[in-house]
Amino acid sequence: MPRSLWRFAAFYFWYYAALGAYTPYVGRWVDALGHGGFVIGAMLGLWYGTRVLAPPTWAALTGRSARPGEWFVAGCVATTLCFAGFLFTREAWALLGVMAVFGLFYNAVMPQFEAMTLTALGPSPEQYGRLRVWGSVGFLLVASSYGALMDYVGAEAFPWLTLPLFVAMIISAWPHRHDRPPELPGPAVADAGHLFKRPGVRRFLLVAMLMQLGFGPFYVFYTLHLQAAGHSGAAIGALWAIGVTIEIAMFWQAPRLIARFGAARLLGVCLGVSVLRWALVSGFADLFWVMALAQTTHALSFATFHACCMRLITEYFPGRRAVAGQSLLYGFSSGVGGVLGAGLAALMWERGGGGVGAFAAGAVVAAIAWLVFALRQRDVTVGTT
């Protein structure tokens, strides 16, 4: 990889290293503060809600600026300052308020950075995977080690342990202060609305949303569910590491699998495997070897599923319409699906039997997604009008 691109790899590393602390362990911290499942679910629900609002708002601001790279650095600084607010908050209303502003900035900067990365790659977009993989490495190193670290120093230290990662993110953002995103002629909003009505599109987006909804218990309560089943922080970190490691490996192999079997066929397999995964996590959380086996299915239920969605979205939304397609997918899946998934997870955690009920609900949702996908006979021809 050219030396000039290492600064991009560095930012991916630290951005996702911070995410590797936040996603697996923020629920454990909020639980240690004495709050219940509804507060934890609301925290993650706000996280996903800001993923819908933040990117287009930030894009509108930076698009009018003659120095978008400086906006990017400013966004990273604002992210860190907002996260520092967690150092001084304990009450539920304060936690949710800090979460809302923190999520707005944290979820805003990455889409801008992705655009700057593609601009820097120019005619060599195939190099993207070699840069993005450093983000997964950062997530892996932190997620696998912070469980044991929090066992040692206490879960209440989570904000102090995580803040240095955001400071490192600012430092890695500084070399990009003069970078610019591409000036692309984006499609009109009407394109997205028109293409939304094409055969197969709505069903595909519904499946993607249901899959994300089924992941809700995993993102919100997986660490707490394993902790309640008697696993140590080190063991929980190891299980997170298994999932991310297999994710990295599968992202490299997914293009070959899609070329051989087709994205639609693989998507159905991923949905079926997800049903099995959440059923295992629901019923056998006390068995480490079963949880390790379940985590290996992350290769299909997350990595391959995501790769298949990317392939199908380019078929449903070809050419310059891809931006509209990505917007719809991001909004339905990460946005609506994420918020509903966090809400379902919190409800089942509090009223449906804790982790057992929450992950059983995840399995049911994944099964519904598979059924919706299987009943797509009229939608098999992609791109028809």
Side-chain angles (χ1 to χ4, degrees), residues 6-378:
W6 277 108
R7 62 192 179 100
F8 291 89
F11 184 79
Y12 278 119
F13 180 93
W14 290 112
Y15 180 95
Y16 284 102
L19 191 63
Y22 181 82
T23 302
Y25 300 112
V26 67
R28 180 176 173 181
W29 171 59
V30 176
D31 178 71
L33 295 179
H35 300 292
F38 285 124
V39 176
I40 298 172
M43 289 279 286
L44 271 295
L46 278 172
W47 167 257
Y48 286 110
T50 57
R51 293 182 74 174
V52 179
L53 178 63
T57 304
W58 191 254
L61 292 172
T62 59
R64 299 189 185 100
S65 174
R67 297 180 178 133
E70 294 180 5
W71 275 87
F72 170 68
V73 175
C76 293
V77 172
T79 297
T80 304
L81 292 176
C82 291
F83 183 85
F86 285 128
L87 299 173
F88 314 105
T89 51
R90 293 294 182 271
E91 298 298 324
W93 65 268
L95 290 172
L96 296 176
V98 173
M99 177 66 244
V101 292
F102 162 69
L104 281 172
F105 287 108
Y106 195 27
N107 284 316
V109 296
M110 180 49 71
Q112 183 188 0
F113 184 71
E114 295 268 45
M116 294 190 298
T117 301
L118 293 174
T119 299
L121 290 174
S124 303
E126 68 278 0
Q127 295 282 342
Y128 172 81
R130 297 182 181 180
L131 296 176
R132 175 59 180 82
V133 73
W134 286 100
S136 296
V137 172
F139 188 101
L140 170 64
L141 292 177
V142 174
S144 62
S145 59
Y146 264 44
L149 186 58
M150 290 175 71
D151 280 351
Y152 182 73
V153 301
E156 294 84 356
F158 166 78
W160 291 103
L161 294 174
T162 308
L163 186 61
L165 300 175
F166 284 104
V167 174
M169 183 185 74
I170 294 175
I171 296 172
S172 66
W174 182 252
H176 300 278
R177 62 192 182 279
H178 300 306
D179 290 2
R180 300 185 64 86
E183 296 181 1
L184 297 177
V189 176
D191 278 345
H194 169 70
L195 294 172
F196 180 73
K197 301 176 182 178
R198 301 177 75 188
V201 170
R202 284 171 289 187
R203 182 162 292 173
F204 165 69
L205 293 173
L206 177 59
V207 167
M209 185 197 74
L210 289 171
M211 186 66 153
Q212 182 69 40
L213 200 161
F215 260 88
F218 177 74
Y219 289 133
V220 181
F221 292 114
Y222 184 64
T223 295
L224 290 177
H225 181 49
L226 295 177
Q227 187 176 335
H231 298 290
S232 67
I236 294 170
L239 289 170
W240 276 98
I242 291 171
V244 180
T245 301
I246 202 74
E247 168 192 328
I248 294 171
M250 184 54 74
F251 268 130
W252 285 100
Q253 296 299 321
R256 297 180 184 177
L257 293 175
I258 292 174
R260 180 174 180 179
F261 298 106
R265 184 180 300 175
L266 279 176
L267 200 71
V269 173
C270 295
L271 291 166
V273 168
S274 297
V275 178
L276 176 62
R277 179 185 184 180
W278 304 137
L280 289 175
V281 175
S282 173
F284 303 94
D286 57 324
L287 300 177
F288 181 86
W289 70 270
V290 176
M291 293 300 92
L293 178 64
Q295 280 296 83
T296 64
T297 66
H298 199 65
L300 290 169
S301 60
F302 178 80
T304 305
F305 182 84
H306 179 74
C308 290
C309 285
M310 292 302 101
R311 175 63 62 87
L312 290 173
I313 207 72
T314 60
E315 296 178 4
Y316 282 116
F317 299 86
R320 74 183 189 93
R321 293 168 172 169
V323 177
Q326 290 287 353
S327 176
L328 283 173
L329 179 63
Y330 199 81
F332 272 86
S333 178
S334 296
V336 177
V339 172
L340 293 178
L344 174 67
L347 180 63
M348 296 304 297
W349 181 269
E350 289 289 336
R351 304 286 176 84
V356 173
F359 282 95
V364 171
V365 173
I368 295 173
W370 180 88
L371 182 62
V372 171
F373 175 80
L375 298 176
R376 71 187 222 294
Q377 289 87 347
R378 293 179 298 173

